[in-house]
Amino acid sequence: MNSSLAGNQSGRPFCLLAISYLETINFCLLEVVVIVFLMVLIISGNIIVIFVFHCAPLLNHHTTSYFIQTMAYADLLVGVSCLVPSLSLLHYPIVLSESLVCQIFGYVVSVLKSVSMASLACISIDRYIAITKPLTYNTLVTPWRLRICILIIWLYSCLVFLPSFHWGKPGYHGDVFQWCANSWNTDPYFTLFIVVMLYAPAAFIVCFTYFNIFRICQQHTKEINERRVRFSSQDGETGEAQPCPDKRYAMVLFRITSVFYILWLPYIIYFLLESSNVYSNRVASFLTTWLAISNSFCNCVIYSLSNSVFQKGLKRLSGAICASCARQRVAKDSSTSRSKRSSNGCHV
């Protein structure tokens, strides 16, 4: 297993995308560029999301904001953890052994992405309850129950991937390390365990809830439009079709969920193929892994482009930053002018 990921030859650095490297470069340039670029995007994007949620109180009126902020913090930690493979590819000396660093990094990133996947499933359940039981929603979904649910998500994610230290590789997050590529093999039974305990239930919940959400919204829209047509015909007015008010917000969350699974599908397929010893490729390992990790930035883009309240909060945050910069500039100019006046006074 992992024979195609064979190690370092001719004394050259171990690079998954070893494509025409110059002899003067002793590190994996292309891999470093990709990982550092994603790291900067993920960290900056999620920091903006977290600050916007603090600057826009209206965003916190939705119970889904608890899960979205949880995803933002998890994605932020994914971006921070990308510093580890970056340093490894740059041959920066690491105190711990490569095998231990590889296992810890693979475990941490797997847990963080599991938190995102479980949060998306909980968001879909939350929206399903809001639409199917609107009268009892506030009594069923309370802040302390949401906090307990988030705590359970983190604990469950940590426990699901804990056997990876003895059972096998949880994924391909660590293949930038030579030990991960050559010595840390996947186990088909552990892969089946992850699929049964995480991937399959999360995908089933998302498909079931959003299918019913849009079906119910379609029924509500049809009923509302029929009533409007009936009353408008009595008053001699033409009725216009009105969409379900919950459908717009559900569409935002559905886009986030869809992009998540689209970006993670190649990774999951490759994970299953390599685990079953059907297909193993160094380039596919790297591309599918970091394509999946790029989702940590896509969540920020989708939410900022789709949610009007978030856009208002982003404008408020940018306005506050610009105002702060303007105050600092004015203070700097005034201090400069005072210093000039004082220096002129000394020469009089």
Side-chain angles (χ1 to χ4, degrees), residues 123-198:
I123 287 173
S124 65
I125 295 173
D126 174 80
R127 291 298 88 199
Y128 179 76
I129 296 173
I131 292 176
T132 56
K133 298 182 179 181
L135 299 179
T136 58
Y137 175 78
N138 290 330
T139 57
L140 292 173
V141 183
T142 58
W144 69 271
R145 286 182 178 176
L146 290 171
R147 294 186 182 98
I148 291 176
C149 184
I150 291 171
L151 179 62
I152 292 173
I153 288 173
W154 280 95
L155 291 176
Y156 184 78
S157 299
C158 292
L159 292 175
V160 165
F161 287 97
L162 194 60
S164 64
F165 288 96
H166 300 285
W167 204 344
K169 183 165 35 176
Y172 298 90
H173 306 293
D175 274 357
V176 293
F177 301 100
Q178 187 172 2
W179 184 88
C180 283
N182 296 337
S183 304
W184 198 19
N185 299 329
T186 54
D187 187 285
Y189 295 105
F190 185 45
T191 302
L192 180 63
F193 173 77
I194 295 175
V195 170
V196 172
M197 298 300 292
L198 181 62

Side-chain angles (χ1 to χ4, degrees), residues 15-280:
C15 303
L16 291 171
L17 303 179
I19 303 173
S20 302
Y21 285 106
L22 298 175
E23 295 297 331
T24 56
I25 298 176
N26 62 348
F27 61 87
C28 306
L29 179 62
L30 186 55
E31 286 89 335
V32 170
V33 170
V34 171
I35 295 175
V36 171
F37 179 70
L38 284 178
M39 179 178 67
V40 172
L41 288 181
I42 292 170
I43 292 176
S44 58
N46 285 284
I47 286 177
I48 291 173
V49 169
I50 292 169
F51 274 113
V52 168
F53 267 94
H54 286 288
C55 293
L58 288 176
L59 285 170
N60 294 316
H61 288 180
H62 293 286
T63 54
T64 51
S65 65
Y66 285 84
F67 297 111
I68 293 173
Q69 290 183 72
T70 300
M71 289 173 56
Y73 281 109
D75 290 336
L76 176 63
L77 292 175
V78 169
V80 173
S81 66
C82 289
L83 183 64
V84 176
S86 302
L87 294 175
S88 174
L89 291 170
L90 289 170
H91 291 226
Y92 189 85
I94 299 177
V95 178
L96 301 176
S97 64
E98 185 183 34
S99 60
L100 183 60
V101 173
C102 168
Q103 288 179 316
I104 293 175
F105 176 71
Y107 172 77
V108 169
V109 177
S110 298
V111 168
L112 294 174
K113 300 315 297 179
S114 173
V115 169
S116 296
M117 190 175 295
S119 297
L120 288 172
C122 289
I123 287 173
S124 65
I125 295 173
D126 174 80
R127 291 298 88 199
Y128 179 76
I129 296 173
I131 292 176
T132 56
K133 298 182 179 181
L135 299 179
T136 58
Y137 175 78
N138 290 330
T139 57
L140 292 173
V141 183
T142 58
W144 69 271
R145 286 182 178 176
L146 290 171
R147 294 186 182 98
I148 291 176
C149 184
I150 291 171
L151 179 62
I152 292 173
I153 288 173
W154 280 95
L155 291 176
Y156 184 78
S157 299
C158 292
L159 292 175
V160 165
F161 287 97
L162 194 60
S164 64
F165 288 96
H166 300 285
W167 204 344
K169 183 165 35 176
Y172 298 90
H173 306 293
D175 274 357
V176 293
F177 301 100
Q178 187 172 2
W179 184 88
C180 283
N182 296 337
S183 304
W184 198 19
N185 299 329
T186 54
D187 187 285
Y189 295 105
F190 185 45
T191 302
L192 180 63
F193 173 77
I194 295 175
V195 170
V196 172
M197 298 300 292
L198 181 62
Y199 295 159
F204 174 78
I205 290 171
V206 167
C207 293
F208 174 81
T209 51
Y210 278 114
F211 174 79
N212 285 279
I213 285 171
F214 290 120
R215 181 178 59 83
I216 294 170
C217 282
Q218 190 174 11
Q219 292 176 352
H220 288 178
T221 303
K222 184 178 179 180
E223 293 172 359
I224 292 171
N225 292 335
E226 287 177 353
R227 292 191 187 121
R228 289 180 62 86
V229 170
R230 191 182 307 119
F231 287 114
S232 61
S233 61
Q234 294 175 358
D235 298 335
E237 300 176 355
T238 57
E240 296 181 356
Q242 295 292 328
C244 175
D246 293 316
K247 188 175 181 179
R248 187 179 302 168
Y249 190 61
M251 280 300 299
V252 176
L253 303 174
F254 180 72
R255 290 189 194 105
I256 293 176
T257 306
S258 299
V259 171
F260 180 91
Y261 280 97
I262 289 171
L263 293 177
W264 273 83
L265 186 60
Y267 165 84
I268 294 173
I269 292 174
Y270 183 77
F271 186 27
L272 295 173
L273 290 176
E274 204 282 338
S275 299
S276 57
N277 208 19
V278 174
Y279 177 75
S280 179

